[in-house]
Amino acid sequence: MISAGIDIGSRSIECVILNNGKIREMRKIDTGFDPIGQAKQLLKGLEFDTILATGYGRNLFEIEHEATTITEIKAHARGAVCFFPGAITVLDIGGQDSKVIKLNESGKVIRFEMNDRCAAGTGKFLEIMAQTLGFNIDTFGIEAAKAKKDLKISSMCTVFAESEVTSLVAKGENPNEIARGLHIAVVKRAVSMLNRVSSQGPVVFTGGVANNPFIREQLARITKREILVQKTPEMNGAIGAALIAMEQNKGKEK
Amino acid sequence: MKPDLLKKLQHITEQNIIDIENHKKNGNHAIGFYCLYAPTELAVAANAIPLPLCGTRQAPIEAAEETLPRNLCPLIKSSYGFAATDTCPFFRFSDIIVADTTCDGKKKMFELMSEIKPVHVLQLPQQQNFNLFLEPWKNEIKNLKTVMEETTGNKITLEKISNAIKLLNRERRAKKRLMDVAKAKPSPLTGTQMVEILFKTGFFADKETGIDLMNEISDECETLIERGDSPYTKETPRILLTGVPIGLGSDKVVKILEDSGASVVAFENCSGYKQTFQVDETCDPILALAEQYLSIPCSVMSPNHGRIELLDEMITNFQVDGVVDLTWQACHTYNIEAFQIRKFVNDHFHLPYLHIETDYSESDTEQLRVRIEAFLEMI
């Protein structure tokens, strides 16, 4: 059976096609201002027996495509368990929100918390800060890792942090050290939410920000926990959705 | 529910404004109340209409923020905003406001409100230790009796208080009976309908009208239960809402829960089941009022074991599948108590629990929808 999962996030849309549970194809596109149009674009030429939508645009997609939907909480939980069986803690830092999910031994969500009020501590925050410092977002983590000493950033609000960064640059501070301070600020924010929801055991780290090596390193250092990241963490939600689509369809066939 | 009952509710609600106006034209009085802690029996005993004034609408908040800080509970801002903009007929009808030092936000707001209308503030103890605090609270209630007499010009006898207690006990029994219809699985009423009925009947000038209507609705619901008639199925997840009070205009969480396929069957808050107590009719009426009202389990009390006991009883009796704990933004006491409530619900009942902190605006509807849908996926 060919099943599809589509994760319509606020910053990007990911789509995964599974052939009997094995990944056959993965695609990604920016959300832009027209999520449904972009989703259509992304799905062009793809064939599947069943599709399931998740992410903030899921309900729009449901109406347009008669697809079923699940929340990104359930999708990320399912994706994490697929790559790391027995996982009980999931940290997802996406484009515009972050969340921590706690699972029981059978992979069922038992608690979650989200920060979706503002861009603080998310991918968007890092993106704006990279831009302010003149770094490329893809190598931002590598640049931060080059810093020799700690530089504390006190603002977590994206707007305030941006002006804090601007004044640090004006004071002649080293951009790599500022980058390091920003990364650590993001990690510390995630850690307080992480400890509130689930304080022990390995952490499955998902979402686009999990691609940043310096965030991963600092997360492991500060939490003293094992940080598990699959090869394409930004696809985790879509993979979870495609897996659940397959499982729901099998249920129906029976 | 039969459409003619809803029509009747609407009709009485509209007629009610005229009734209060006439009552006042005849030289009678109306008393505004903000917290469940103030015994409305004393207003009734003075032949005045008690009106529940807690603001539940977003509309006056912007005006309130010209005076009050933005980072304050929306219930306090809405209450003050209605007073400042003179847009609530019930506030206008009130000859005096009876307020309590329930929480920091409210008590400081009442100082500002007293520039608009006379406000009498009751010093509410923050602990339910009767040895220490029953006597001072009893004195507050005695003072309130004097204030009611002075405001209305009517002498309040002990007999009149006893009669008021009996009447309001009947009203509370009617309310409890109405809320208890949702113990049926599935419930014959939606949570949204329940909120509307409780909210609207709360303003009725004539208590008997409210009691009759609530009983009529309960009768109708019992027939529906016998027939197995319900907007839900036996599989619909049954949710208990706990925490801050809600009303028309501040019921968005109930609506989103029910839009997402749940049935809100129980309300552990002061707009719901916290109102179902009975005042002792056999002892000294002032003492009976003092004891019963001080026992209300609001999060301003420290410690607040009564809330856990009430939740224990309600989660069991309403056959609940999950608990949603609602905190209005900047309500510190409910916000902090959420930690204990989560622990109780998880450890004692092993049920899914969701804590929501929000305000009256619609700006976070989609974010709430994600949380609520994910919570329902946990059931």
Side-chain angles (χ1 to χ4, degrees), chain A residues 30 46 99 115 121 130 177 182 188 213 227 229:
Chain A
D30 281 343
L46 291 177
K99 46 189 159 293
N115 163 40
E177 283 167 11
L182 288 163
K188 285 196 170 154
I227 306 298
V229 184

Side-chain angles (χ1 to χ4, degrees), chain A:
Chain A
M1 186 206 313
I2 312 288
S3 68
I6 184 162
D7 181 357
I8 306 173
S10 55
R11 305 280 302 148
S12 59
I13 305 174
E14 292 88 17
C15 179
V16 170
I17 303 289
L18 300 180
N19 185 2
N20 290 323
K22 293 265 176 295
I23 295 172
R24 175 196 259 192
E25 192 170 348
M26 296 196 283
R27 290 183 179 184
K28 187 179 169 178
I29 195 167
D30 281 343
T31 307
F33 49 84
D34 175 20
I36 290 306
Q38 291 293 87
K40 244 184 216 159
Q41 186 70 28
L42 191 68
L43 289 176
K44 219 173 240 173
L46 291 177
E47 281 180 10
F48 41 81
D49 304 315
T50 174
I51 183 163
L52 196 139
T54 186
Y56 100 110
R58 69 192 180 286
N59 291 325
L60 270 176
F61 188 85
E62 178 181 20
I63 299 162
E64 197 90 352
H65 292 262
E66 291 180 19
T68 46
T69 65
I70 53 166
T71 65
E72 46 268 47
I73 312 281
K74 194 172 174 179
H76 275 281
R78 184 65 190 88
V81 170
C82 162
F83 289 98
F84 305 102
I88 61 155
T89 312
V90 182
L91 167 67
D92 171 63
I93 306 184
Q96 237 162 54
D97 70 15
S98 54
K99 46 189 159 293
V100 176
I101 309 163
K102 189 178 182 180
L103 314 173
N104 66 11
E105 309 75 43
S106 46
K108 196 171 181 294
V109 176
I110 51 172
R111 185 175 171 185
F112 64 87
E113 236 175 75
M114 292 179 86
N115 163 40
D116 50 16
R117 289 284 161 78
C118 69
T122 67
K124 182 74 188 168
F125 176 85
L126 288 170
E127 216 175 290
I128 290 174
M129 296 309 142
Q131 216 171 32
T132 311
L133 286 167
F135 290 124
N136 184 324
I137 182 65
D138 297 323
T139 54
F140 196 29
I142 297 163
E143 294 296 337
K146 288 179 187 164
K148 297 276 181 294
K149 66 173 174 66
D150 276 336
L151 200 154
K152 198 171 156 37
I153 303 287
S154 36
S155 311
M156 258 329 274
C157 165
T158 312
V159 178
F160 290 156
E162 199 176 2
S163 45
E164 194 176 341
V165 166
T166 310
S167 60
L168 288 171
V169 171
K171 265 172 40 192
E173 297 286 357
N174 178 309
N176 295 77
E177 283 167 11
I178 301 174
R180 180 188 163 96
L182 288 163
H183 278 71
I184 290 174
V186 168
V187 171
K188 285 196 170 154
R189 197 180 165 94
V191 168
S192 66
M193 184 157 67
L194 194 58
N195 287 341
R196 206 163 43 235
V197 177
S198 174
S199 58
Q200 274 162 0
V203 178
V204 178
F205 187 16
T206 67
V209 174
N211 283 313
N212 184 316
F214 193 61
I215 295 274
R216 291 199 302 261
E217 183 192 311
Q218 292 303 313
L219 196 59
R221 181 182 68 86
I222 294 171
T223 58
K224 300 184 179 67
R225 294 163 76 170
E226 191 184 356
I227 306 298
L228 306 166
V229 184
Q230 55 120 323
K231 248 187 283 165
T232 53
E234 72 280 10
M235 293 290 170
N236 187 64
I239 293 169
L243 283 166
I244 293 173
M246 177 185 76
E247 286 153 6
Q248 283 182 353
N249 221 271
K250 271 186 188 156
K252 266 183 235 157
E253 278 172 8
K254 278 174 199 167

Side-chain angles (χ1 to χ4, degrees), chain A residues 58-59 71, chain B residues 191-192 232 237 239 241 246 250-264 324 326 328 354 356 358-376:
Chain A
R58 69 192 180 286
N59 291 325
T71 65
Chain B
T192 313
Y232 307 110
I239 305 305
L241 183 71
I246 53 163
S250 61
D251 54 349
K252 65 176 180 186
V253 168
V254 179
K255 284 183 177 152
I256 299 173
L257 272 161
E258 298 199 327
D259 281 351
S260 310
S263 158
V264 182
V324 174
L326 178 63
W328 294 133
L354 177 69
I356 291 175
T358 183
D359 61 9
Y360 291 181
S361 74
E362 301 286 327
S363 64
D364 61 353
T365 305
E366 286 313 307
Q367 284 96 328
L368 287 181
R369 207 180 290 282
V370 174
R371 283 180 174 74
I372 285 171
E373 284 180 18
F375 165 71
L376 294 174

Side-chain angles (χ1 to χ4, degrees), chain B residues 169-188:
Chain B
N169 271 346
R170 277 176 52 224
E171 186 191 34
R172 287 184 283 257
R173 283 201 292 275
K175 249 179 213 172
K176 181 168 190 298
R177 184 181 165 211
L178 173 67
M179 284 187 257
D180 282 346
V181 302
K183 283 181 181 168
K185 198 170 176 175
S187 166

